Amino acid sequence: MRSTLVVMTLSLGVVSGCGGELPVVVDGSSTVFPISVAAQVAYTRAVEGVPKITVDYHGTGGGFGRYIEGEVDIVNASRPAKAIEQEKAWARGFLWTRYLVGHDGITVAVNPANTFVDALSIAQLQALFERGSTITTWRDLNPEWPDQPISFYTPDPDSGTYDTFVHEALDLSEQREDIQPSADDNVLVNGIAGDVNSLGYFGFAYYMANQDRLRAVPIRKSDDAEPIAPLIETIYDGSYVPLSRPLFIYVKDEAMKRPVTAEFVTFYLDHVAKLAEQAGYVPPNSQERSENLATLSQVKASISMAETTSTPVD
């Protein structure tokens, strides 16, 4: 799994193809990034010629920001679009269609040398991450734990993972300030792997790719609940709550009029189960895949009808 993500990371920002045709530009969530890069690589290998696809990550919020400026065709999103993002995009005529491409479980991780944090409750995470928290050592969180300072490695505020973890799962307005944020999940992984007293969170695939360097912390949804570890099975069956979430791509409707975009998105959705699994996530189930393809067919039919009605008749 690690080698797969390394290959994907090396693909960052690479433009496939040459010539005058504009590339399909994909940007947004670093969590969804591995799935879209897997789609880019597989599509480039599968089709004749060299299609032009670029995949980057600036966080879900950053991807929507670029989309609103007309710079992006497809947004990788680890959360649903916010109302203000949709309002701004649609006000500029940049309509989109959303597709579900996988399921994630945000993973809270510590250094493997940390053997005492056997589980954390949502209440403990709230107390730990809230703005103005006075918890600075492990003993502050649990009197049986060592009196050692905690180092925090987390996504930055543009990240959909940040939004889901802080705002949705923990119901906090803001995260504490004394953290080391990054838009790059690999930076967070390396920080935790190199710091014995560290704690952080990121998408499940990054934990799966680095299990020998990290330890996932099981989560209790309430103080008296059984701790649930992030696993393919617990994400799939919905028991890893409240840190499970769907992953999306938002595709610009106008961009679907270009054959390369339509062909790439079709390939992506036809193979999304394999691509999501390859990237380390839980793939969409059969019903979700069918819904994706039905929606895609509607978009294509709408575009075809619009082009037919706008074509002059001799």
Side-chain angles (χ1 to χ4, degrees):
M1 179 64 196
R2 178 183 294 175
S3 60
T4 300
L5 282 179
V6 169
V7 170
M8 291 177 175
T9 302
L10 290 176
S11 299
L12 172 62
V14 174
V15 180
S16 301
C18 55
E21 188 177 8
L22 292 173
V24 178
V25 180
V26 186
D27 198 355
S29 166
S30 61
T31 302
V32 184
F33 171 78
I35 309 176
S36 290
V37 170
Q40 175 210 33
V41 171
Y43 178 65
T44 301
R45 290 173 178 167
V47 301
E48 292 186 7
V50 187
K52 301 168 68 173
I53 314 291
T54 70
V55 186
D56 206 343
Y57 59 81
H58 289 90
T60 299
F64 280 123
R66 290 193 65 200
Y67 182 97
I68 291 165
E69 295 302 316
E71 301 172 354
V72 171
D73 301 303
I74 300 172
V75 179
N76 291 331
S78 59
R79 58 162 172 79
K82 297 177 181 178
I84 188 63
E85 291 166 336
Q86 178 170 307
E87 181 180 321
K88 288 180 177 180
W90 291 22
R92 300 193 63 179
F94 299 152
L95 306 184
W96 60 43
T97 301
R98 188 180 80 180
Y99 303 95
L100 192 151
V101 297
H103 296 274
D104 179 32
I106 298 175
T107 302
V108 178
V110 295
N111 187 282
N114 181 330
T115 59
F116 52 87
V117 179
D118 54 350
L120 288 169
S121 69
I122 292 299
Q124 285 177 309
L125 290 173
Q126 288 171 324
L128 189 59
F129 280 97
E130 66 182 349
R131 183 60 62 94
S133 173
T134 59
I135 297 173
T136 59
T137 71
W138 294 110
R139 183 172 294 176
D140 291 337
L141 195 60
N142 184 322
E144 297 180 359
W145 292 349
D147 188 21
Q148 296 293 330
I150 305 171
S151 303
F152 298 92
Y153 296 87
T154 77
D156 65 23
D158 275 340
S159 166
T161 302
Y162 174 101
D163 279 330
T164 302
F165 185 83
V166 174
H167 300 149
E168 301 298 327
L170 302 189
D171 195 25
L172 301 175
S173 58
E174 293 180 285
Q175 182 174 265
R176 65 187 300 156
E177 295 178 300
D178 55 337
I179 55 144
Q180 300 181 62
S182 177
D184 187 341
D185 291 293
N186 290 302
V187 170
L188 305 180
V189 167
N190 290 334
I192 296 171
D195 187 337
V196 173
N197 284 303
S198 59
L199 177 77
Y201 61 90
F202 34 72
F204 180 67
Y206 290 89
Y207 162 68
M208 289 290 288
N210 296 278
Q211 294 180 70
D212 59 332
R213 307 171 63 213
L214 306 168
R215 186 168 67 81
V217 179
I219 303 300
R220 291 188 176 95
K221 64 181 179 180
S222 61
D223 290 342
D224 57 352
E226 287 294 318
I228 303 296
L231 301 167
I232 293 289
E233 295 79 9
T234 59
I235 296 170
Y236 189 81
D237 68 18
S239 61
Y240 186 64
V241 292
L243 296 182
S244 296
R245 57 176 175 171
L247 304 174
F248 307 104
I249 56 172
Y250 284 74
V251 181
K252 184 186 291 184
D253 291 350
E254 186 70 20
M256 286 292 290
K257 296 178 180 179
R258 295 163 49 204
V260 65
T261 308
E263 291 166 9
F264 173 63
V265 172
T266 300
F267 180 92
Y268 196 144
L269 298 179
D270 279 343
H271 298 85
V272 69
K274 181 178 180 180
L275 297 171
E277 186 174 2
Q278 177 184 339
Y281 295 108
V282 175
N285 61 35
S286 58
Q287 180 178 340
E288 291 164 339
R289 296 197 301 273
S290 295
E291 290 171 353
N292 279 342
L293 295 177
T295 300
L296 179 63
S297 294
Q298 292 172 1
V299 170
K300 288 180 176 180
S302 177
I303 290 172
S304 179
M305 182 177 297
E307 289 175 344
T308 300
T309 57
S310 64
T311 301
V313 178
D314 292 334

